[in-house]
């Protein structure tokens, strides 16, 4: 078992920084764990009973023990590291469960390898989901429910483990009937009533602690200006948007199942077949019914959580390994031959499919656009500006020095009264919007964000396709005023740039001259060039785009290669640098530094308007 657990840890950990791309849910659970550890609060916003808090409290325990938030620049990786730990524990417990079900060591190894190496399991086990926190507790509950000795203690432990699983992710409550069935089958006839009563009482006590928590806070039932347990439960059971049919590829449910089957079509199909076979085997029947019933839930109307598949994976791996073990060890000649042939065919199909998906999970850097966008924000946005962001970036930006109240998870802009109170002007009180795939998909339910984007200009873009991340600068003057200002400034920059081309002291490369002529250069740079070239001859090589701003205008960086015919490192260069650094107000540069024979001048991202005289088209 130990070498296989080491393998599980390595494959889960390797490449976790790049794939999958961070998502909003990960950021939420990470930020909540951060709030527990660093802020001394239960969440980074008002806790409203959408999930029991025990899941992210456990994540916070890991990050506290390992100093995770201080070791990683991307905070979600600290929580992903916790997911790896929970996954390894779940794998170890799956081995123990397989052995208690009388599977041989090779079959237990097969179950563990399927669970560890399936691309479906790999992607979801390294993603920060509360399901991953709950999973080892669920498997531990079944392991203890199979105990034949000291059953009172074992069943009590099983109930406690199951209670922790449910308080980590409430959807695991679906498994309760099957765990109770396993306890009933395992319990001695003479002590069954007593042991099951104790287990049931302990489970009730554990779960009621959540209600007691709400009761102590006076938040069981709805009231004015307060959250409530009742509303949280109603949201999860009734109010959540229907995911649609899994048979509709355009629905949320259809897209989720499509992702599952794209990652690994072999294990889910093999598990369904194995589950049907396992129904005929007494010792496997509980697990076959559990898996098949939980699979059937996927097809029911209503809301289908994207990580729902997590609870299916250990049962899928267990059943496939158990049925193969049964066919090889205990089947007749023809059954054994059929089992071997089916296993070989499945392996031949799975290996190339798995290899493609695993390569992406190990080597792809899908998170790069979001990291680059965060870097752009930290380097180009004033710490006094207010941002609407994906929650996956919340902790990183707060750690980068932005005040906590100025970094707003876009979902809270319209759903949290405390957040709304800090922005009485609505969208006009925000300065930037960080647009990710999650925000694009949720924009219809976020009117404040929609209004902010309708009155903003894209300033930076990173990546492409569905992983693309964009940064928009909000302008409270409104769309019409923005368009008029953009047109006016474009005309002014063009006129001023063309006038500069007549200055013999300004020597420009063909590319730089074209950029000036076309009005692509920031008004602050145009004004600066007009000033310094009135008395100094300077040679300009380029107006390069800041990383992430390719295709965006105006360009706000200048590269100077010589001053009065001398290198920029000369005394003339010293005078020019001093003059540039002495600019004040809107004309004070963000950077003016020499590097490798060039003088780089850069202005901040927010480009003031109407700095140049207006012109008539």
């Amino acid at each position: 078992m130990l070498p296989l657990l080491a393998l599980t840890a390595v494959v889960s950990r390797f490449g976790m920084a790049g794939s999958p791309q961070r998502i909003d849910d990960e950021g939420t659970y990470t930020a909540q764990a951060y709030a527990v550890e660093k802020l001394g609060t239960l969440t980074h916003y008002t806790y409203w009973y959408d999930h029991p808090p025990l899941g992210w409290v456990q994540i916070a325990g890991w990050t506290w023990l390992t100093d995770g938030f201080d070791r990683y620049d991307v905070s979600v990786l600290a929580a992903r590291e916790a997911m790896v730990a929970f996954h390894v524990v779940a794998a170890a417990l799956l081995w123990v469960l397989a052995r208690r079900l009388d599977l041989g060591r090779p079959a237990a190894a097969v179950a563990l390898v399927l669970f560890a190496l399936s691309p479906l399991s790999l992607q979801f086990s390294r993603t920060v989901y509360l399901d991953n926190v709950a999973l080892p507790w669920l498997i531990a509950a079944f392991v203890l429910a199979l105990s034949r000795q000291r059953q009172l203690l074992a069943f009590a432990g099983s109930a406690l483990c199951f209670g922790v699983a449910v308080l980590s992710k409430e959807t695991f409550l679906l498994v309760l009937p099957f765990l109770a069935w396993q306890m009933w089958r395992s319990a001695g006839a003479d002590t069954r009533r007593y042991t099951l009563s104790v287990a049931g009482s302990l489970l009730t006590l554990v779960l009621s602690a959540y209600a007691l928590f709400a009761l102590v806070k006076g938040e069981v039932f709805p009231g004015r200006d307060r959250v409530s347990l009742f509303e949280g439960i109603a949201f999860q059971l009734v109010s959540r948007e229907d995911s649609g049919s899994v048979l509709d590829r355009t629905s949320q449910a259809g897209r989720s199942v499509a992702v599952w089957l794209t990652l690994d079509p072999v294990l889910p199909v093999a598990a369904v077949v194995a589950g049907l076979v396992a129904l005929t085997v007494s010792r496997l029947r509980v697990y076959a019914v559990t898996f098949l019933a939980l699979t059937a839930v996927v097809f029911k109307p209503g809301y289908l959580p994207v990580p729902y598949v997590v609870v299916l994976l250990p049962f899928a791996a267990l059943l496939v390994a158990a049925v193969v073990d049964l066919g090889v060890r205990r089947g007749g000649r023809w059954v054994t031959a059929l089992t071997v042939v089916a296993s070989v065919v499945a392996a031949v199909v799975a290996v190339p499919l798995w290899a493609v998906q695993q390569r992406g999970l190990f080597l792809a850097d899908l998170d790069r656009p979001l990291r680059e966008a965060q870097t752009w924000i930290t380097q180009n946005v004033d710490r006094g500006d207010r941002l609407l962001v994906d929650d996956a970036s919340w902790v990183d930006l707060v750690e980068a020095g932005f005040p906590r109240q100025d970094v707003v998870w876009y979902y809270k802009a319209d759903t949290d009264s405390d957040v709304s109170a800090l922005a009485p002007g609505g969208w006009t009180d925000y300065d930037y919007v960080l647009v990710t795939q999650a925000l694009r998909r949720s924009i219809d339910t976020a009117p404040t964000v929609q209004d902010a984007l309708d009155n903003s200009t894209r300033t930076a873009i990173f990546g492409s396709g569905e992983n693309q991340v964009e940064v928009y600068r909000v302008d409270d003057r409104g769309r019409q005023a923005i368009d008029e200002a953009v047109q006016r400034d474009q005309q002014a920059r063009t006129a001023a740039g063309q006038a500069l081309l007549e200055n013999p002291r300004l020597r420009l490369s063909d590319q730089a001259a074209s950029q000036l002529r076309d009005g692509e250069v920031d008004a602050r740079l145009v004004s600066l060039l007009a000033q310094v070239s009135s008395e100094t001859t300077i040679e300009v090589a380029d107006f390069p785009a800041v990383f992430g701003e390719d295709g965006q205008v105006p360009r706000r960086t200048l590269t100077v290669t010589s001053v009065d015919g001398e290198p920029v490192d000369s005394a003339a260069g010293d005078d020019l640098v001093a003059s540039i650094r002495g600019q004040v107000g809107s004309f004070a540069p963000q950077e003016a530094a020499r590097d490798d024979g060039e003088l780089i001048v850069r202005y901040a991202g927010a480009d003031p308007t109407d700095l140049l005289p207006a012109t008539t088209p």
Side-chain angles (χ1 to χ4, degrees), residues 267-310:
L267 180 59
V269 173
V272 170
V273 174
L276 294 174
V277 174
L279 289 173
T280 65
V281 183
S282 176
R283 61 190 169 88
L284 300 177
R285 191 168 297 133
V286 169
Y287 304 90
V289 173
T290 301
F291 174 77
L292 294 173
L294 293 175
T295 300
V297 170
V298 174
F299 295 89
K300 75 171 182 62
Y303 176 69
L304 177 66
V306 174
Y308 177 79
V309 70
V310 170

Side-chain angles (χ1 to χ4, degrees), residues 179 284 287 365 430 500:
L179 178 64
L284 300 177
Y287 304 90
D365 192 0
Y430 294 98
L500 272 178

Side-chain angles (χ1 to χ4, degrees), residues 501-587:
L501 294 176
E502 304 299 324
N503 186 346
R505 291 182 180 275
L506 188 60
R507 299 175 181 177
L508 302 153
S509 68
D510 291 343
Q511 179 174 317
S514 176
Q515 292 166 333
L516 263 181
R517 184 180 301 111
D518 294 338
E520 296 180 1
V521 180
D522 189 292
R524 294 165 293 184
L525 281 178
V526 172
S527 299
L528 179 67
L529 286 174
Q531 176 184 336
V532 300
S533 64
S534 62
E535 298 180 352
T536 305
T537 300
I538 61 174
E539 186 171 343
V540 176
D542 191 14
F543 298 99
V546 175
F547 182 71
E549 298 180 22
D550 292 332
Q552 309 296 312
V553 292
R555 299 191 174 215
R556 54 190 177 90
T557 305
L558 164 69
T559 303
V560 177
T561 53
S562 71
V563 183
D564 287 334
E566 299 181 14
V568 295
D569 293 329
S570 64
D574 293 340
D575 293 339
L576 178 61
V577 171
S579 175
I580 292 173
R581 290 176 177 172
Q583 301 293 313
V584 297
S586 298
F587 298 97

Side-chain angles (χ1 to χ4, degrees), residues 101-104 107-108 110-111 114 270-281 283-285 287-288 315-331 335-336 338-340 342-343:
L101 287 171
D102 200 28
L103 272 66
V110 169
L114 291 175
V272 170
V273 174
L276 294 174
V277 174
L279 289 173
T280 65
V281 183
R283 61 190 169 88
L284 300 177
R285 191 168 297 133
Y287 304 90
F315 297 106
L318 178 69
L319 289 170
V320 170
V323 169
V324 170
D325 182 62
L326 188 70
V328 172
R329 292 174 62 195
R330 302 184 182 182
V335 172
T336 300
L338 180 62
T339 302
V340 171
S343 301

Side-chain angles (χ1 to χ4, degrees), residues 226 297 317 591 613:
R226 76 174 185 223
V297 170
E591 176 186 3

